[in-house]
Amino acid sequence: VNQRRAQLIGTGLIGGSVGLALRRDGWFVTGHDTDITVAARARDRGAVDTVGDDAEAELVVIAAPVGSIPSLVEVARDRHPDAVITDVGSVKGPVVEAVDDPNFVGGHPMAGSEQSGVDGSDASMFDGAVWVLTPTESTTAEAFALVHSVAARTGAEVIALDAAEHDRIVAMVSHVPHLAAATLMRLAASRSDAHSALLRLAAGGFRDMTRIAAGHPGIWPDICSENRAAIVEVLDELIAELRQVRVAVETGDRNGLIAQLESARKARLNLPTTAARPEDLVEVRVVVADHPGQLALVTTRASELGVNIYDIEMAHSAEGPRGVMILVIDASMSHQFAESLASSGYRVSLRPLR
Amino acid sequence: VNQRRAQLIGTGLIGGSVGLALRRDGWFVTGHDTDITVAARARDRGAVDTVGDDAEAELVVIAAPVGSIPSLVEVARDRHPDAVITDVGSVKGPVVEAVDDPNFVGGHPMAGSEQSGVDGSDASMFDGAVWVLTPTESTTAEAFALVHSVAARTGAEVIALDAAEHDRIVAMVSHVPHLAAATLMRLAASRSDAHSALLRLAAGGFRDMTRIAAGHPGIWPDICSENRAAIVEVLDELIAELRQVRVAVETGDRNGLIAQLESARKARLNLPTTAARPEDLVEVRVVVADHPGQLALVTTRASELGVNIYDIEMAHSAEGPRGVMILVIDASMSHQFAESLASSGYRVSLRPLR
């Protein structure tokens, strides 16, 4: 059997991770990057077999800034007339509008890392992530099937969406939340000049809300530019909703506030915690003081009982250091696990996930 | 030596926890509650020695809804002419304005729990929390010293603030973030009716931002009513800042966006992670896939090395399931700990905390 061959265009964080995942899966991977030192580093890290251009590649993966993707697809098509081409850009509408090619499939693996660049790349980056594909009416089934299978074999959950819908969704769940977190953080910081105690009072809830603002800003101007319309629309909605909240506070509309907060609470409790099959899973909530010994104890207890933990998070109370550890585990083991923790003095509650 | 005597007015979550902490510290605690079953439950849980009113109490702690505190202080003063009186309300301006009493000290222990009511009370609730006291010009040194010592002995870090300043700060770091998280969650949920995939794409960053929206809404109408002015002011500032962000996005102001996000990033990285002495502490960042086995491994490794973890959090990337475990530990042990993790294949970085 001939080894399957892929071409990477761009070998940074995501491109490098795709390369590592493809090679783990048996592909022969050739890659290049506008920065030749990045391409060389990708080869040293094992993200590509060789640096350069492979005319025999059946798959081309473009991992470059969104604005450059349409022209890179054109160049790639000239060099690889029969290849399936995909990209990993985080905005999809402008790409699929500009590219009219039945063997191109737009993609967006929703994964990232605190580290940037090829040194942060990792074959397991997409494990458990959602990988969106945005086929158009002209996309061939063969092209879609190839990209789908490559994405799924990285461990990602593959979801097909209309490109414009994808862009509206990521504006809502990723882009605007990021901008809002940064805005809240800046506002608090600007006030902390006057009140030096302010940041010492910023406890669990504030920390959770602003955490993503610690990320590197480098990619955001591109994202904001490419997804401008959707981001502006969601920002407008957010501002309008906040104005309504302001009115409810100013007029003392207790019922209105309760209704707003109650519907948010219900929605948050129903937020899927994992991409794994939710019909078999149970959410276990364990009240803990914010002491790491307890964290180790609870997770080790799970290992001892053979309980696989699909997701874990620490929810802090709005004020103060206490929290609730939220674990998602197999329903079949949940009672045994809960009883074991309860017998050690923990307060435990169980909630099936839809 | 005579046992010191305290009176609790209100024996719910916070009142009960104060009672447990006082009794742990050797006090004789009498308590009552408008709900007599709550008071009886507090006695059964050991939060009070006895239910009733103790004319001999030298300290009265009022743990009741903010709106009722001024009149409860008056009643308590009639019954306990020589006692020091304090409260635990989460808004302080309206209280200290309404109460003109040199032996009253306003207080706000910034602690909470997912559980509400006396059944959630816990002697260690204030351990590591910030406990704000809001003395006025007329407050006596003796009264302040007594409340300060009681608060500090619960394990809390005690901070004195002007009452109005306290209210502006909690509006900024607690009340408005809570309202904003709920608003973002409601907005996403309303859109998810049209796009069923939306909530499946809501990954790490969105989950972090909306986590506090899962809390019980019950206390918020009171808080919004009592701290109305400060909340409206911060909401106005947030809306104005979001409008500026909107302008930057719409006009493609790349430099403006980078500057905004960069200043937010700096501020978030400098957010104190713990109330413990930060001069001796180091932040350890460990890149992990979001697998709980790694969490147990890292925290257990710390225990093995005798490394005390002061704070721990999981920072998810803006998109996708990967994360960084952020641990705050003693500087003296940090290199040994980091080397141990690195030798197990983890990517580890260290950053001293100011």
Side-chain angles (χ1 to χ4, degrees), chain B residues 174-198:
Chain B
S174 172
H175 304 165
V176 168
H178 191 99
L179 295 171
T183 303
L184 208 54
M185 188 65 242
R186 277 197 305 123
L187 201 57
S190 73
R191 286 187 160 223
S192 74
D193 296 340
H195 310 303
S196 57
L198 186 141

Side-chain angles (χ1 to χ4, degrees), chain A residues 237-270:
Chain A
E237 287 185 26
L238 178 62
I239 290 167
E241 291 286 334
L242 286 172
R243 280 218 203 84
Q244 285 197 15
V245 173
R246 182 201 188 281
V247 168
V249 173
E250 193 166 44
T251 61
D253 177 7
R254 301 176 69 89
N255 293 338
L257 279 169
I258 286 277
Q260 286 175 2
L261 294 169
E262 189 55 52
S263 78
R265 170 178 153 83
K266 280 202 188 112
R268 183 56 177 80
L269 289 173
N270 285 318

Side-chain angles (χ1 to χ4, degrees), chain B residues 47-68:
Chain B
V48 300
D49 290 281
T50 183
V51 174
D53 209 46
D54 177 7
E56 306 294 310
E58 64 174 298
L59 174 69
V60 178
V61 180
I62 299 174
V66 176
S68 65

Side-chain angles (χ1 to χ4, degrees), chain A residues 13 17 20 45 112-125, chain B residues 284-289 294 298 322-325 338 341-350:
Chain A
L13 176 70
S17 299
L20 287 164
R45 280 183 59 81
S113 163
E114 277 250 325
Q115 289 192 282
S116 52
V118 64
D119 288 332
S121 64
D122 188 336
S124 64
M125 175 161 297
Chain B
V284 184
R285 302 171 87 86
V286 188
V287 178
V288 291
Q294 305 195 345
V298 170
R322 287 168 68 87
V324 173
M325 205 184 300
L341 290 174
S343 72
S344 299
Y346 286 94
R347 290 190 215 121
V348 182
S349 62
L350 296 177

Side-chain angles (χ1 to χ4, degrees), chain B residues 212-292:
Chain B
I212 50 175
H216 285 279
I219 57 168
W220 289 97
D222 261 1
I223 287 175
C224 289
S225 164
E226 298 295 334
N227 203 21
R228 179 177 308 181
I231 292 174
V232 167
E233 187 188 320
V234 175
L235 275 174
D236 281 343
E237 287 185 27
L238 178 60
I239 290 167
E241 291 286 334
L242 286 172
R243 278 217 206 86
Q244 284 197 15
V245 173
R246 182 201 187 283
V247 169
V249 173
E250 193 165 45
T251 60
D253 176 7
R254 301 177 70 91
N255 292 339
L257 277 169
I258 285 278
Q260 286 175 1
L261 294 169
E262 189 55 54
S263 78
R265 171 178 152 84
K266 279 201 187 115
R268 184 57 178 78
L269 290 173
N270 285 318
L271 197 59
T273 46
T274 171
R277 289 156 302 159
E279 59 274 24
D280 304 316
L281 298 175
V282 164
E283 194 177 271
V284 184
R285 302 171 87 86
V286 188
V287 178
V288 291
D290 216 354
H291 291 160

